[in-house]
Amino acid sequence: MPQVLTFDDPQEVAHAAADRFVEIARAAIDGRGRFSVALSGGSTPKRAYELLAGEDYRDELDWSKVHIFFGDERCVPPDDAESNYRMANEAMLSRLPIPARNIHRVQGVGDASANARLYEDELRTFFNDAAWPRFDLVLLGMGEDGHTASLFPGSSALNELEAWVAANWIEKFNAFRITLTLPAINHAAHIAFLVTGENKADRLAEVLSHESSSEQLPSQLIKPVSGSLEWLIDKAAGVRIAGV
Ligand code: 6PG
């Protein structure tokens, strides 16, 4: 059963996300000497990334033990305004002492399928060829259509149950996106959605309603195999959810 934590506003969600990031990272570093996190793109997590690089959090972790991955990436250069790497780099990565070798960027330029394979190879090396990657933390957002990472409703990657990474054709963007697959996400130790804003309220209520609609929404398919799932939301996003 996912845990839904409601906060007053996006800034409080960002603080809660930064607190959770540090808590999970400390446990992973203490326990296994490293912390692996797949960052979400989009706008919601940016505040949390900025906080983590700020004075309240930057001294809380040994960043040399932190390994940064991406839940998905647009097929653009790393300095493109659409790049999830660029957003995370500007908000956080460039402001913290994370070794360059610990930042596992998805190649966005060139053949999407080849880049998906390259990223999967890097993941398999990092996770010592395990059956599935076990990220210590996967951060996710949710689109108004219920997508997460770059798993969009009706897109082919939703059916990918063997590969860890897929090049996913997104009709409405007339473009490929590179994304972790559902099983690659669902094998994580901790998964946290960050969702804010009234514009997400209807879809969030639908996703959390657990009514298995005819076509399940991608965000409803995020079900950790043996990990935790939390939703960090603000009141505006939770306005349609009873008891929030
Ligand atoms: C991306 C994200 C995507 C995002 C949602 C929500 O590449 O954009 O992976 O899944 O999390 O679209 O985006 P917002 O946080 O901007 O609403």
Side-chain angles (χ1 to χ4, degrees), residues 40-44 72 74 84 141-143 147-149 177 200:
S40 169
S43 57
T44 305
D72 69 315
R74 291 83 182 276
N84 288 336
M142 185 196 74
H147 82 263
T148 190
R177 290 243 185 123
K200 303 284 179 75

Side-chain angles (χ1 to χ4, degrees), residues 199-214:
N199 63 313
K200 303 284 179 75
D202 289 340
R203 189 65 75 183
L204 183 60
E206 184 182 358
V207 165
L208 293 177
S209 69
H210 299 292
E211 284 153 21
S212 54
S213 54
S214 54

Side-chain angles (χ1 to χ4, degrees), residues 65-220:
K65 302 286 195 328
V66 174
H67 286 262
I68 301 286
F69 296 88
F70 293 83
D72 69 315
E73 185 57 275
R74 291 83 182 276
C75 292
V76 295
D79 58 357
D80 190 290
E82 283 295 303
S83 166
N84 288 336
Y85 164 80
R86 175 176 162 178
M87 183 273 282
N89 190 44
E90 289 177 349
M92 174 180 161
L93 306 181
S94 60
R95 301 168 57 203
L96 287 168
I98 302 174
R101 66 179 178 282
N102 288 19
I103 299 174
H104 307 269
R105 188 171 65 79
V106 182
Q107 293 294 329
V109 175
D111 179 78
S113 296
N115 287 336
R117 295 282 67 74
L118 278 174
Y119 189 47
E120 177 157 338
D121 290 347
E122 190 163 348
L123 285 172
R124 286 184 182 275
T125 301
F126 181 83
F127 288 104
N128 304 312
D129 276 330
W132 291 105
R134 187 163 176 79
F135 290 98
D136 294 303
L137 175 61
V138 175
L139 292 176
L140 295 173
M142 185 196 74
E144 292 183 44
D145 61 359
H147 82 263
T148 190
S150 280
L151 299 165
F152 285 78
S155 64
S156 61
L158 288 171
N159 306 314
E160 179 52 66
L161 301 179
E162 292 181 10
W164 294 12
V165 180
N168 201 19
W169 179 257
I170 312 301
E171 203 55 49
K172 70 177 176 181
F173 298 139
N174 194 34
F176 277 103
R177 290 243 185 123
I178 293 171
T179 185
L180 292 179
T181 58
L182 285 169
I185 294 171
N186 284 333
H187 279 83
H190 300 281
I191 303 171
F193 275 95
L194 310 185
V195 183
T196 62
E198 171 103 29
N199 63 313
K200 303 284 179 75
D202 289 340
R203 189 65 75 183
L204 183 60
E206 184 182 358
V207 165
L208 293 177
S209 69
H210 299 292
E211 284 153 21
S212 54
S213 54
S214 54
E215 180 203 6
Q216 277 211 304
L217 296 164
S219 293
Q220 285 180 305

